[in-house]
Amino acid sequence: MNSNLSRLQIYPLTNSQLGWPEKLALKSSFGFGICPVCGKFTIFTNFTDNLRESGLCKVCQSNNRKRQMAFMLLEAIYETTGIKFSSVNEFTEQASQLEQFVNFRIYNTETTGSLHNYLTKLKGYKASEYLGYEYESGETIHGILHQNLMNTSFEDSSFDFVMSSDVFEHIPEPYQAFSEVNRILKPGGRHIFTVPFYSDRYRDEVRAVG
Ligand SMILES: [Zn+2]
């Protein structure tokens, strides 16, 4: 784990001071920079007080949360393969020509959005949704793969990375799902995820009951 990531291990996260990019975004409702999803130098628009869910990339429509997922995905690729990509777009365009990614597999727990749209270019990419308790994991419903994250249909050690963005707070037994993710990840694999959290609290809040 590099020092940048280690610094994020302090919990609870008590520093809620806004930096200049956040202040600028809130004041003008837009920002600019290189998008880690599409790789373009672009404008991010429509910032709201909910910085996490706003600031849409003009090119790929990613919001801040999706760009953070993309950033961490690129960091994890660099940590595990030593290859640095500047965007998910660049990664998915080049991966098929690189031997490090011949058997590389990513599982994403959503089938829509900017990040998914670029990742579909990857040969070893799998995406699913949770479509209801009446379905079995592994079933395809109207062209969409259904998976219950507490008990997926995947074999042990199937994926290099598993990605979930604001999914685990909807799962009745989230720690069972974490255990399931651990089962389907290859040894040394990574789970890249976001969940809503309170920066000043240690304990879970129950938001989903089975
Ligand atoms: Zn973009």
mmCIF file of all heavy atoms in Angstrom, residues 107-137:
data_model
loop_
_atom_site.group_PDB
_atom_site.id
_atom_site.type_symbol
_atom_site.label_atom_id
_atom_site.label_comp_id
_atom_site.label_asym_id
_atom_site.label_seq_id
_atom_site.Cartn_x
_atom_site.Cartn_y
_atom_site.Cartn_z
ATOM 1 N N TYR A 107 -15.245 -7.607 -12.397
ATOM 2 C CA TYR A 107 -16.691 -7.756 -12.195
ATOM 3 C C TYR A 107 -17.227 -6.459 -11.595
ATOM 4 O O TYR A 107 -16.749 -5.998 -10.564
ATOM 5 C CB TYR A 107 -16.976 -8.939 -11.261
ATOM 6 C CG TYR A 107 -18.398 -9.023 -10.761
ATOM 7 C CD1 TYR A 107 -19.481 -8.835 -11.626
ATOM 8 C CD2 TYR A 107 -18.672 -9.293 -9.427
ATOM 9 C CE1 TYR A 107 -20.780 -8.909 -11.161
ATOM 10 C CE2 TYR A 107 -19.967 -9.375 -8.955
ATOM 11 C CZ TYR A 107 -21.019 -9.173 -9.826
ATOM 12 O OH TYR A 107 -22.307 -9.233 -9.368
ATOM 13 N N ASN A 108 -18.229 -5.879 -12.265
ATOM 14 C CA ASN A 108 -18.838 -4.634 -11.803
ATOM 15 C C ASN A 108 -20.297 -4.913 -11.445
ATOM 16 O O ASN A 108 -21.004 -5.615 -12.180
ATOM 17 C CB ASN A 108 -18.754 -3.588 -12.929
ATOM 18 C CG ASN A 108 -19.142 -2.197 -12.476
ATOM 19 O OD1 ASN A 108 -19.315 -1.936 -11.283
ATOM 20 N ND2 ASN A 108 -19.274 -1.290 -13.426
ATOM 21 N N THR A 109 -20.743 -4.355 -10.331
ATOM 22 C CA THR A 109 -22.092 -4.664 -9.850
ATOM 23 C C THR A 109 -23.115 -3.646 -10.351
ATOM 24 O O THR A 109 -24.095 -3.367 -9.669
ATOM 25 C CB THR A 109 -22.110 -4.717 -8.313
ATOM 26 O OG1 THR A 109 -21.607 -3.469 -7.824
ATOM 27 C CG2 THR A 109 -21.252 -5.841 -7.794
ATOM 28 N N GLU A 110 -22.868 -3.108 -11.535
ATOM 29 C CA GLU A 110 -23.874 -2.264 -12.184
ATOM 30 C C GLU A 110 -23.695 -2.345 -13.700
ATOM 31 O O GLU A 110 -22.596 -2.607 -14.192
ATOM 32 C CB GLU A 110 -23.816 -0.815 -11.712
ATOM 33 C CG GLU A 110 -22.535 -0.095 -12.050
ATOM 34 C CD GLU A 110 -22.496 1.303 -11.452
ATOM 35 O OE1 GLU A 110 -23.407 1.678 -10.701
ATOM 36 O OE2 GLU A 110 -21.540 2.018 -11.753
ATOM 37 N N THR A 111 -24.782 -2.128 -14.415
ATOM 38 C CA THR A 111 -24.752 -2.309 -15.876
ATOM 39 C C THR A 111 -25.106 -1.021 -16.623
ATOM 40 O O THR A 111 -25.493 -1.080 -17.794
ATOM 41 C CB THR A 111 -25.744 -3.414 -16.302
ATOM 42 O OG1 THR A 111 -27.066 -2.983 -15.955
ATOM 43 C CG2 THR A 111 -25.452 -4.730 -15.627
ATOM 44 N N THR A 112 -24.981 0.104 -15.936
ATOM 45 C CA THR A 112 -25.241 1.390 -16.590
ATOM 46 C C THR A 112 -24.169 2.403 -16.158
ATOM 47 O O THR A 112 -23.407 2.150 -15.226
ATOM 48 C CB THR A 112 -26.625 1.968 -16.194
ATOM 49 O OG1 THR A 112 -26.647 2.121 -14.769
ATOM 50 C CG2 THR A 112 -27.763 1.079 -16.655
ATOM 51 N N GLY A 113 -24.156 3.536 -16.833
ATOM 52 C CA GLY A 113 -23.292 4.637 -16.415
ATOM 53 C C GLY A 113 -21.982 4.693 -17.187
ATOM 54 O O GLY A 113 -21.611 3.750 -17.911
ATOM 55 N N SER A 114 -21.287 5.808 -17.019
ATOM 56 C CA SER A 114 -20.087 6.095 -17.800
ATOM 57 C C SER A 114 -18.984 5.055 -17.595
ATOM 58 O O SER A 114 -18.372 4.585 -18.560
ATOM 59 C CB SER A 114 -19.572 7.480 -17.431
ATOM 60 O OG SER A 114 -19.394 7.563 -16.032
ATOM 61 N N LEU A 115 -18.746 4.703 -16.349
ATOM 62 C CA LEU A 115 -17.664 3.758 -16.047
ATOM 63 C C LEU A 115 -17.948 2.411 -16.720
ATOM 64 O O LEU A 115 -17.072 1.821 -17.369
ATOM 65 C CB LEU A 115 -17.593 3.602 -14.525
ATOM 66 C CG LEU A 115 -16.286 3.184 -13.881
ATOM 67 C CD1 LEU A 115 -15.095 3.906 -14.454
ATOM 68 C CD2 LEU A 115 -16.386 3.401 -12.378
ATOM 69 N N HIS A 116 -19.161 1.947 -16.569
ATOM 70 C CA HIS A 116 -19.579 0.687 -17.212
ATOM 71 C C HIS A 116 -19.415 0.779 -18.733
ATOM 72 O O HIS A 116 -18.924 -0.161 -19.364
ATOM 73 C CB HIS A 116 -21.030 0.377 -16.836
ATOM 74 C CG HIS A 116 -21.650 -0.689 -17.683
ATOM 75 N ND1 HIS A 116 -21.366 -2.033 -17.520
ATOM 76 C CD2 HIS A 116 -22.519 -0.615 -18.733
ATOM 77 C CE1 HIS A 116 -22.048 -2.734 -18.420
ATOM 78 N NE2 HIS A 116 -22.748 -1.902 -19.170
ATOM 79 N N ASN A 117 -19.825 1.898 -19.311
ATOM 80 C CA ASN A 117 -19.769 2.035 -20.764
ATOM 81 C C ASN A 117 -18.356 1.853 -21.303
ATOM 82 O O ASN A 117 -18.160 1.255 -22.352
ATOM 83 C CB ASN A 117 -20.320 3.400 -21.194
ATOM 84 C CG ASN A 117 -21.810 3.519 -20.930
ATOM 85 O OD1 ASN A 117 -22.489 2.511 -20.737
ATOM 86 N ND2 ASN A 117 -22.317 4.740 -20.897
ATOM 87 N N TYR A 118 -17.367 2.374 -20.584
ATOM 88 C CA TYR A 118 -15.987 2.195 -21.044
ATOM 89 C C TYR A 118 -15.481 0.789 -20.734
ATOM 90 O O TYR A 118 -14.772 0.183 -21.540
ATOM 91 C CB TYR A 118 -15.061 3.250 -20.415
ATOM 92 C CG TYR A 118 -15.231 4.605 -21.061
ATOM 93 C CD1 TYR A 118 -16.022 5.578 -20.467
ATOM 94 C CD2 TYR A 118 -14.628 4.902 -22.278
ATOM 95 C CE1 TYR A 118 -16.216 6.821 -21.066
ATOM 96 C CE2 TYR A 118 -14.803 6.140 -22.891
ATOM 97 C CZ TYR A 118 -15.596 7.090 -22.274
ATOM 98 O OH TYR A 118 -15.780 8.312 -22.881
ATOM 99 N N LEU A 119 -15.852 0.250 -19.565
ATOM 100 C CA LEU A 119 -15.353 -1.070 -19.172
ATOM 101 C C LEU A 119 -15.884 -2.185 -20.073
ATOM 102 O O LEU A 119 -15.260 -3.246 -20.179
ATOM 103 C CB LEU A 119 -15.714 -1.360 -17.707
ATOM 104 C CG LEU A 119 -14.884 -0.583 -16.674
ATOM 105 C CD1 LEU A 119 -15.477 -0.741 -15.277
ATOM 106 C CD2 LEU A 119 -13.427 -1.043 -16.685
ATOM 107 N N THR A 120 -17.008 -1.957 -20.737
ATOM 108 C CA THR A 120 -17.542 -3.003 -21.624
ATOM 109 C C THR A 120 -16.582 -3.311 -22.779
ATOM 110 O O THR A 120 -16.690 -4.354 -23.411
ATOM 111 C CB THR A 120 -18.912 -2.604 -22.230
ATOM 112 O OG1 THR A 120 -18.795 -1.320 -22.807
ATOM 113 C CG2 THR A 120 -20.012 -2.609 -21.195
ATOM 114 N N LYS A 121 -15.627 -2.409 -23.045
ATOM 115 C CA LYS A 121 -14.658 -2.655 -24.114
ATOM 116 C C LYS A 121 -13.632 -3.727 -23.712
ATOM 117 O O LYS A 121 -12.886 -4.233 -24.543
ATOM 118 C CB LYS A 121 -13.914 -1.358 -24.460
ATOM 119 C CG LYS A 121 -14.777 -0.348 -25.197
ATOM 120 C CD LYS A 121 -13.927 0.788 -25.753
ATOM 121 C CE LYS A 121 -13.891 1.970 -24.809
ATOM 122 N NZ LYS A 121 -13.048 3.085 -25.257
ATOM 123 N N LEU A 122 -13.616 -4.042 -22.410
ATOM 124 C CA LEU A 122 -12.629 -4.990 -21.875
ATOM 125 C C LEU A 122 -13.137 -6.423 -22.070
ATOM 126 O O LEU A 122 -14.277 -6.726 -21.732
ATOM 127 C CB LEU A 122 -12.469 -4.691 -20.376
ATOM 128 C CG LEU A 122 -11.208 -5.108 -19.670
ATOM 129 C CD1 LEU A 122 -10.003 -4.356 -20.223
ATOM 130 C CD2 LEU A 122 -11.374 -4.829 -18.173
ATOM 131 N N LYS A 123 -12.265 -7.308 -22.576
ATOM 132 C CA LYS A 123 -12.688 -8.681 -22.885
ATOM 133 C C LYS A 123 -13.150 -9.417 -21.610
ATOM 134 O O LYS A 123 -14.168 -10.097 -21.616
ATOM 135 C CB LYS A 123 -11.517 -9.413 -23.545
ATOM 136 C CG LYS A 123 -11.915 -10.643 -24.300
ATOM 137 C CD LYS A 123 -10.774 -11.127 -25.187
ATOM 138 C CE LYS A 123 -10.493 -12.593 -24.936
ATOM 139 N NZ LYS A 123 -9.433 -12.870 -23.997
ATOM 140 N N GLY A 124 -12.423 -9.303 -20.535
ATOM 141 C CA GLY A 124 -12.750 -10.051 -19.314
ATOM 142 C C GLY A 124 -13.669 -9.297 -18.373
ATOM 143 O O GLY A 124 -13.541 -9.418 -17.154
ATOM 144 N N TYR A 125 -14.597 -8.555 -18.912
ATOM 145 C CA TYR A 125 -15.482 -7.725 -18.072
ATOM 146 C C TYR A 125 -16.834 -8.393 -17.902
ATOM 147 O O TYR A 125 -17.417 -8.899 -18.858
ATOM 148 C CB TYR A 125 -15.662 -6.359 -18.723
ATOM 149 C CG TYR A 125 -16.586 -5.413 -17.993
ATOM 150 C CD1 TYR A 125 -16.274 -4.948 -16.717
ATOM 151 C CD2 TYR A 125 -17.773 -4.972 -18.577
ATOM 152 C CE1 TYR A 125 -17.110 -4.078 -16.047
ATOM 153 C CE2 TYR A 125 -18.622 -4.096 -17.918
ATOM 154 C CZ TYR A 125 -18.283 -3.655 -16.651
ATOM 155 O OH TYR A 125 -19.125 -2.790 -15.984
ATOM 156 N N LYS A 126 -17.331 -8.385 -16.671
ATOM 157 C CA LYS A 126 -18.646 -8.941 -16.360
ATOM 158 C C LYS A 126 -19.401 -7.913 -15.531
ATOM 159 O O LYS A 126 -18.839 -7.316 -14.609
ATOM 160 C CB LYS A 126 -18.413 -10.221 -15.555
ATOM 161 C CG LYS A 126 -19.589 -11.129 -15.392
ATOM 162 C CD LYS A 126 -19.970 -11.806 -16.662
ATOM 163 C CE LYS A 126 -19.572 -13.253 -16.738
ATOM 164 N NZ LYS A 126 -20.087 -13.889 -17.951
ATOM 165 N N ALA A 127 -20.680 -7.706 -15.858
ATOM 166 C CA ALA A 127 -21.486 -6.728 -15.105
ATOM 167 C C ALA A 127 -22.842 -7.337 -14.800
ATOM 168 O O ALA A 127 -23.385 -8.121 -15.583
ATOM 169 C CB ALA A 127 -21.653 -5.450 -15.920
ATOM 170 N N SER A 128 -23.382 -6.978 -13.640
ATOM 171 C CA SER A 128 -24.687 -7.523 -13.250
ATOM 172 C C SER A 128 -25.484 -6.476 -12.489
ATOM 173 O O SER A 128 -24.966 -5.432 -12.100
ATOM 174 C CB SER A 128 -24.505 -8.761 -12.359
ATOM 175 O OG SER A 128 -24.082 -8.370 -11.063
ATOM 176 N N GLU A 129 -26.752 -6.813 -12.281
ATOM 177 C CA GLU A 129 -27.632 -6.021 -11.405
ATOM 178 C C GLU A 129 -28.303 -6.997 -10.440
ATOM 179 O O GLU A 129 -28.345 -8.206 -10.700
ATOM 180 C CB GLU A 129 -28.715 -5.300 -12.223
ATOM 181 C CG GLU A 129 -28.212 -4.241 -13.180
ATOM 182 C CD GLU A 129 -27.885 -2.911 -12.504
ATOM 183 O OE1 GLU A 129 -28.222 -2.734 -11.318
ATOM 184 O OE2 GLU A 129 -27.275 -2.069 -13.179
ATOM 185 N N TYR A 130 -28.867 -6.456 -9.367
ATOM 186 C CA TYR A 130 -29.750 -7.252 -8.515
ATOM 187 C C TYR A 130 -31.168 -6.948 -8.977
ATOM 188 O O TYR A 130 -31.618 -5.803 -8.883
ATOM 189 C CB TYR A 130 -29.569 -6.884 -7.040
ATOM 190 C CG TYR A 130 -30.525 -7.653 -6.151
ATOM 191 C CD1 TYR A 130 -30.262 -8.983 -5.823
ATOM 192 C CD2 TYR A 130 -31.691 -7.066 -5.678
ATOM 193 C CE1 TYR A 130 -31.143 -9.706 -5.041
ATOM 194 C CE2 TYR A 130 -32.581 -7.782 -4.888
ATOM 195 C CZ TYR A 130 -32.301 -9.101 -4.573
ATOM 196 O OH TYR A 130 -33.181 -9.818 -3.807
ATOM 197 N N LEU A 131 -31.862 -7.970 -9.482
ATOM 198 C CA LEU A 131 -33.170 -7.735 -10.114
ATOM 199 C C LEU A 131 -34.349 -8.242 -9.284
ATOM 200 O O LEU A 131 -35.499 -8.117 -9.716
ATOM 201 C CB LEU A 131 -33.187 -8.385 -11.505
ATOM 202 C CG LEU A 131 -32.157 -7.800 -12.489
ATOM 203 C CD1 LEU A 131 -32.080 -8.620 -13.758
ATOM 204 C CD2 LEU A 131 -32.467 -6.335 -12.818
ATOM 205 N N GLY A 132 -34.076 -8.813 -8.102
ATOM 206 C CA GLY A 132 -35.188 -9.233 -7.242
ATOM 207 C C GLY A 132 -34.982 -10.617 -6.663
ATOM 208 O O GLY A 132 -34.258 -11.437 -7.234
ATOM 209 N N TYR A 133 -35.608 -10.854 -5.503
ATOM 210 C CA TYR A 133 -35.395 -12.115 -4.779
ATOM 211 C C TYR A 133 -35.962 -13.326 -5.529
ATOM 212 O O TYR A 133 -35.620 -14.468 -5.240
ATOM 213 C CB TYR A 133 -36.029 -12.030 -3.386
ATOM 214 C CG TYR A 133 -37.518 -11.794 -3.403
ATOM 215 C CD1 TYR A 133 -38.407 -12.866 -3.520
ATOM 216 C CD2 TYR A 133 -38.050 -10.497 -3.314
ATOM 217 C CE1 TYR A 133 -39.776 -12.652 -3.551
ATOM 218 C CE2 TYR A 133 -39.414 -10.281 -3.361
ATOM 219 C CZ TYR A 133 -40.267 -11.356 -3.475
ATOM 220 O OH TYR A 133 -41.623 -11.152 -3.521
ATOM 221 N N GLU A 134 -36.853 -13.080 -6.508
ATOM 222 C CA GLU A 134 -37.463 -14.205 -7.226
ATOM 223 C C GLU A 134 -36.518 -14.855 -8.237
ATOM 224 O O GLU A 134 -36.835 -15.904 -8.797
ATOM 225 C CB GLU A 134 -38.764 -13.759 -7.916
ATOM 226 C CG GLU A 134 -38.618 -12.703 -9.002
ATOM 227 C CD GLU A 134 -38.718 -11.266 -8.494
ATOM 228 O OE1 GLU A 134 -38.183 -10.987 -7.404
ATOM 229 O OE2 GLU A 134 -39.325 -10.431 -9.203
ATOM 230 N N TYR A 135 -35.354 -14.238 -8.469
ATOM 231 C CA TYR A 135 -34.426 -14.782 -9.461
ATOM 232 C C TYR A 135 -33.233 -15.466 -8.790
ATOM 233 O O TYR A 135 -32.870 -15.148 -7.664
ATOM 234 C CB TYR A 135 -33.914 -13.660 -10.383
ATOM 235 C CG TYR A 135 -35.028 -12.936 -11.111
ATOM 236 C CD1 TYR A 135 -35.289 -11.598 -10.861
ATOM 237 C CD2 TYR A 135 -35.811 -13.612 -12.050
ATOM 238 C CE1 TYR A 135 -36.317 -10.934 -11.521
ATOM 239 C CE2 TYR A 135 -36.839 -12.960 -12.713
ATOM 240 C CZ TYR A 135 -37.082 -11.624 -12.443
ATOM 241 O OH TYR A 135 -38.094 -10.981 -13.097
ATOM 242 N N GLU A 136 -32.635 -16.417 -9.533
ATOM 243 C CA GLU A 136 -31.437 -17.108 -9.069
ATOM 244 C C GLU A 136 -30.202 -16.369 -9.579
ATOM 245 O O GLU A 136 -30.193 -15.912 -10.733
ATOM 246 C CB GLU A 136 -31.390 -18.529 -9.647
ATOM 247 C CG GLU A 136 -32.446 -19.475 -9.109
ATOM 248 C CD GLU A 136 -32.059 -20.043 -7.748
ATOM 249 O OE1 GLU A 136 -30.854 -20.282 -7.535
ATOM 250 O OE2 GLU A 136 -32.960 -20.208 -6.912
ATOM 251 N N SER A 137 -29.167 -16.267 -8.763
ATOM 252 C CA SER A 137 -27.908 -15.686 -9.236
ATOM 253 C C SER A 137 -27.441 -16.414 -10.498
ATOM 254 O O SER A 137 -27.476 -17.644 -10.546
ATOM 255 C CB SER A 137 -26.831 -15.794 -8.153
ATOM 256 O OG SER A 137 -27.036 -14.844 -7.157
#
